[in-house]
Amino acid sequence: MGGVAGDAGRRPRRMNAGMPAMSACPACGVGSLALATALPPARLMLSLPHIHCAACIGSIEAALRKVPGVTSARVNLTLRRGSIDAAPGTTAASLVAALADIGQEAHELDPGALSATETDRQGQALLMRLAVAGFGMMNIMILSVAVWSGAGEAARGMFHWISAAIALPTVAFAAQPFFRSGWMSLRARRMGMDVPISLAIVLACAVSVSETLQGGRHAWFDAAVSLTFFLLAGRYLDHRTRAAARSAAAVLSALEVPRAWLVGPQGAQEVPVADLCPGDLVLVRPGGRMPVDGVVTQGSSEVDRAILTGESLPVYAGPGSVVSAGETNLTGPLTLRVTHAGADSSLHRMADLVAVAEASRTRYTALADRAARIYAPAVHVLAFGAFAVWLGLSGDARLAVNIAVAVLIITCPCALGLAVPAVVTAASGRLFRRGLLIKDATALERLAEVDVVVFDKTGTLTLGVPQVRGLASYDPAVLAVVAAMAEGSAHPLAQALAAACSAAKMPVAVVTDLIEVPGCGIGGKWQGRSVRLGRADWTGAISADTTATYLRIGDDAPVTFIFDDTPRPGAAEAVAGLHAQGLTVILMSGDSVGPVNALADRLGISDRMANQRPADKVARIGALTAAGHKVLMVGDGLNDTAALATAHVSIAPASGLDAARAASDIVLLGTSLASLADAVRIARVSTRRMRQNFAISVAYNLVAVPFALLGFATPLLAAIAMSASSITVSLNAMRIR
């Protein structure tokens, strides 16, 4: 404790900065109240990993509003988060406890780490520009019909000027995404797809204005606006496939506990984790998450490591035990000596690992982007060549410019721009009906390439809920004692036992003097005999190589209760379907050997690995990738996040934590895994459709470009041909449905 005092003396602390001091003096109380009202309201955010319906939203919001100090509570079902406004001094711990009382799990998040992920301003802007372009296109088309129908010279000139008044501001506003992207490409000295798009739109407007000023018979404002509309449609379809994606590293950082209880000479004081240094002592109460990496110096308990390692059973923690940030303390208070805090903690290092993996994955480019590297320069060469040849042959600059614009429009990569997003949107709709949400535009292309599938166990291939095996085979008297003891314990296996006995309507014995021994189990008295329920070594039992708890009554032999983790619905069908498509399936879990082998044998997975920590999973996937394999990772927990980000493509169940869903490319919305094999098959079909769309685009250009180069296609006819190719590509994509 002296060392702690020294730490406190060597640097300033922000002790309990957000909470006014309490005093017995009424006058001081008034002063404290005034200070509290002067402080800004608390804004808290919770991760709610297990909500799934509107009823959950209603019950959670009602429970949160009952917490003293809470002024408002809103739950977002899509993001599985709750946002709470409360009075100063309201803690996340009180909110988490209130939700635990109604059976809902919650974790505190750092709102600052997620501030950039809550809105979809880009999607709203694209949709608004698309609407403006569509409105302008329809009005200009109405005016164009009058011109095509043989309007007189005066009427034709007036209609051209009205079209210009509509088209120019429409293009200036709606085509900004292409102009900005094209300008950035030119500044970077590269030829992106948006460069020829921007040039075609600008030249179509410029030539149309020139024709209108000279009283020409044709203007092509409708071509410029319709070109903008179709391209915006493709850009919005592409954006929709990316809208759900966000950084898993940011979510992992937000899961770090922001505050801790520092043990000092004056007792425990709540301080920001950023103020902690190695050597400090911190107190972690039962039910709390570890704020730092450290070594237990006092107390004994059981620690749930499933969120980090995937271990299904809690592990004992006592003096000398090493714990990591993010693990949950279950049964008893623990005092830790800090070894790593803040940016040095294991949870933060995992976030850094995920960030590196995400950056690596972004180097994968879509088919359309790869095609544009060749296509965009070729378009400019053709247009410039057409201008030079016709200027040399005819000496008419006006004719040469018109033909060059027609070439630019007819070769404009509108169909190319729609080729991928149209297919992705159609396939996404089909997969959504099968319970899969596509988050990334390149996910389908990458999924079609996989040849190895790696599964996590707990919470992925299984539901993560232990169920006692063969309850009816036990002595009713034993079950009555177990039911009484299990009801008094917070241990997950005890809770599973209590739920099973309650569901079977077992009688409950009268057990007195119940006391939970942290790290060991729960003890009591029954009919004058001592009873214990808990660990094997505490009850005198021989430990089974499986998930189990043990009951000992007096001097009787211990009774073993074995638990199975129920396989997720459709798990066997998914494994069989993936094998049928020639994929290698691997089970990689942080759980112990016994449960891993039992599940692998049950599902027919021959390649299995147990006791795998997050770094081990990343290393294994990295080795497979280095050997030339394309890996699909399926996982649900924090321990899987780095592996999900490292894999070629990844899938996470919606029941998984925020970080796992954020790191994944595809989210499994339902509970069944049966659709995974279908997802691979649909991805392969989708990739074929993308290539077919590119073939359609190439065939269209082979036919249309010669007409434009020979001067047979006006800019208006070029726009009509371009629209026809876009519609053809979209219809081919719709065949996936």
Side-chain angles (χ1 to χ4, degrees):
M1 301 293 280
V4 176
D7 286 343
R10 73 171 181 263
R11 68 182 185 283
R13 299 280 191 186
R14 289 182 290 156
M15 297 295 186
N16 222 8
M19 298 177 64
M22 301 300 294
S23 173
C25 171
C28 294
V30 172
S32 296
L33 179 61
L35 175 60
T37 55
L39 291 173
R43 184 64 183 266
L44 302 168
M45 188 171 287
L46 299 178
S47 170
L48 306 166
H50 299 307
I51 61 172
H52 55 82
C53 64
C56 295
I57 295 176
S59 61
I60 289 172
E61 290 181 347
L64 290 173
R65 292 191 189 107
K66 292 179 182 177
V67 177
V70 172
T71 56
S72 69
R74 293 288 184 270
V75 174
N76 186 310
L77 181 61
T78 303
L79 296 176
R80 296 176 184 265
R81 292 187 195 147
S83 179
I84 301 95
D85 292 321
T90 304
T91 63
S94 62
L95 306 178
V96 171
L99 295 182
D101 290 340
I102 63 170
Q104 286 288 350
E105 179 183 348
H107 304 285
E108 184 181 6
L109 294 173
D110 180 1
L114 298 170
S115 59
T117 67
E118 301 300 326
T119 58
D120 184 21
R121 296 178 182 175
Q122 183 182 358
Q124 294 172 357
L126 280 173
L127 192 59
M128 180 171 60
R129 297 181 197 281
L130 179 64
V132 170
F135 180 78
M137 181 181 69
M138 289 186 293
N139 282 279
I140 294 172
M141 286 295 184
I142 292 173
L143 296 170
S144 298
V145 168
V147 175
W148 300 339
S149 300
E153 184 176 345
R156 184 177 67 239
M158 181 183 66
F159 287 150
H160 282 169
W161 280 114
I162 296 174
S163 296
I166 297 173
L168 296 179
T170 297
V171 167
F173 172 75
Q176 284 183 26
F178 310 113
F179 296 155
R180 283 197 298 265
S181 178
W183 175 245
M184 289 174 63
S185 295
L186 291 175
R187 289 184 63 185
R189 297 182 180 181
R190 59 184 177 84
M191 194 65 68
M193 188 187 295
D194 287 334
V195 174
I197 287 174
S198 301
L199 189 58
I201 293 172
V202 169
L203 283 179
C205 289
V207 171
S208 297
V209 170
S210 174
E211 289 290 320
T212 301
L213 288 171
Q214 298 179 47
R217 294 183 56 83
H218 300 291
W220 302 283
F221 296 112
D222 45 2
V225 177
S226 62
L227 182 64
T228 303
F229 174 79
F230 278 105
L231 289 164
L232 281 171
R235 189 63 53 91
Y236 181 69
L237 290 176
D238 181 64
H239 174 78
R240 280 188 57 189
T241 65
R242 304 172 187 262
R246 62 186 190 276
S247 171
V251 179
L252 271 174
S253 298
L255 274 171
E256 295 179 34
V257 179
R259 292 173 293 277
W261 289 94
L262 174 70
V263 179
Q266 308 302 321
Q269 297 275 355
E270 191 175 29
V271 301
V273 168
D275 286 356
L276 296 175
C277 290
D280 285 346
L281 295 179
V282 296
L283 174 67
V284 184
R285 295 186 170 94
R289 281 187 294 132
M290 306 294 176
V292 296
D293 295 350
V295 178
V296 178
T297 61
Q298 185 177 345
S300 59
S301 181
E302 288 186 307
V303 175
D304 183 358
R305 291 179 170 169
I307 198 171
L308 290 176
T309 67
E311 296 174 70
S312 57
L313 273 181
V315 297
Y316 172 78
S321 298
V322 177
V323 296
S324 299
E327 297 174 350
T328 302
N329 182 22
L330 291 177
T331 54
L334 294 174
T335 301
L336 314 178
R337 185 171 297 280
V338 177
T339 56
H340 299 92
D344 297 324
S345 71
S346 55
L347 189 60
H348 201 281
R349 289 198 301 271
M350 187 186 296
D352 292 340
L353 185 65
V354 171
V356 171
E358 286 181 332
S360 176
R361 180 187 290 172
T362 58
R363 290 198 292 267
Y364 186 92
T365 55
L367 283 172
D369 296 331
R370 298 197 295 272
R373 292 174 184 171
I374 303 173
Y375 190 85
V379 168
H380 290 87
V381 170
L382 280 174
F384 181 77
F387 172 79
V389 169
W390 279 98
L391 182 63
L393 291 176
S394 66
D396 187 344
R398 181 178 175 185
L399 174 63
V401 168
N402 282 347
I403 292 176
V405 170
V407 171
L408 266 179
I409 293 176
I410 212 164
T411 58
C412 185
C414 188
L416 190 64
L418 282 171
V420 170
V423 172
V424 170
T425 302
S428 297
R430 181 171 179 182
L431 288 175
F432 183 79
R433 292 189 293 273
R434 299 282 293 161
L436 291 160
L437 175 66
I438 305 294
K439 289 173 47 186
D440 189 271
T442 65
L444 283 171
E445 297 172 47
R446 288 182 278 128
L447 184 59
E449 297 170 352
V450 301
D451 57 355
V452 176
V453 182
V454 174
F455 281 102
D456 172 51
K457 173 186 166 286
T458 307
T460 303
L461 282 176
T462 69
L463 294 175
V465 179
Q467 292 188 341
V468 64
R469 184 190 300 174
L471 186 69
S473 63
Y474 291 92
D475 185 335
V478 170
L479 291 178
V481 174
V482 159
M485 300 186 71
E487 286 179 352
S489 175
H491 194 283
L493 296 186
Q495 292 177 349
L497 261 177
C501 291
S502 176
K505 298 182 179 179
M506 295 291 179
V508 180
V510 178
V511 179
T512 60
D513 300 332
L514 283 174
I515 181 169
E516 187 154 18
V517 181
C520 296
I522 187 167
K525 294 285 187 180
W526 176 64
Q527 296 181 355
R529 307 168 71 187
S530 66
V531 288
R532 289 184 173 186
L533 176 69
R535 295 166 56 92
D537 54 1
W538 190 59
T539 58
I542 299 174
S543 180
D545 187 21
T546 185
T547 305
T549 190
Y550 308 87
L551 173 72
R552 182 159 190 165
I553 302 176
D555 296 328
D556 294 347
V559 178
T560 303
F561 292 89
I562 297 175
F563 294 81
D564 294 320
D565 195 354
T566 307
R568 186 180 284 269
E573 292 87 339
V575 172
L578 294 170
H579 278 147
Q581 295 183 62
L583 279 73
T584 301
V585 178
I586 301 173
L587 174 56
M588 199 181 298
S589 173
D591 213 343
S592 57
V593 173
V596 170
N597 285 339
L599 181 68
D601 292 339
R602 185 170 180 177
L603 298 180
I605 302 175
S606 57
D607 195 345
R608 76 282 300 264
M609 288 173 245
N611 300 313
Q612 297 290 294
R613 298 191 67 84
D616 299 329
K617 295 183 179 183
V618 172
R620 175 63 173 163
I621 292 175
L624 288 168
T625 302
H629 295 287
K630 304 291 187 182
V631 180
L632 163 63
M633 174 69 196
V634 188
D636 77 308
L638 278 186
N639 60 307
D640 303 314
T641 307
L644 289 166
T646 303
H648 190 60
V649 64
S650 54
I651 298 176
S655 57
L657 286 172
D658 266 2
R661 296 197 307 274
S664 66
D665 302 294
I666 303 170
V667 175
L668 180 68
L669 299 176
T671 58
S672 176
L673 291 174
S675 56
L676 289 189
D678 277 348
V680 175
R681 181 181 57 80
I682 291 171
R684 291 175 174 176
V685 171
S686 299
T687 302
R688 287 199 297 271
R689 291 284 186 273
M690 293 175 194
R691 293 195 172 100
Q692 287 172 4
N693 281 349
F694 289 130
I696 291 171
S697 180
V698 170
Y700 150 77
N701 281 304
L702 289 176
V703 174
V705 169
F707 280 85
L709 290 173
L710 294 173
F712 297 138
T714 65
L716 178 60
L717 291 177
I720 294 173
M722 178 273 301
S723 301
S725 70
S726 301
I727 293 170
T728 303
V729 164
S730 299
L731 290 176
N732 185 55
M734 297 296 287
R735 292 171 55 206
I736 295 175
R737 295 181 177 231

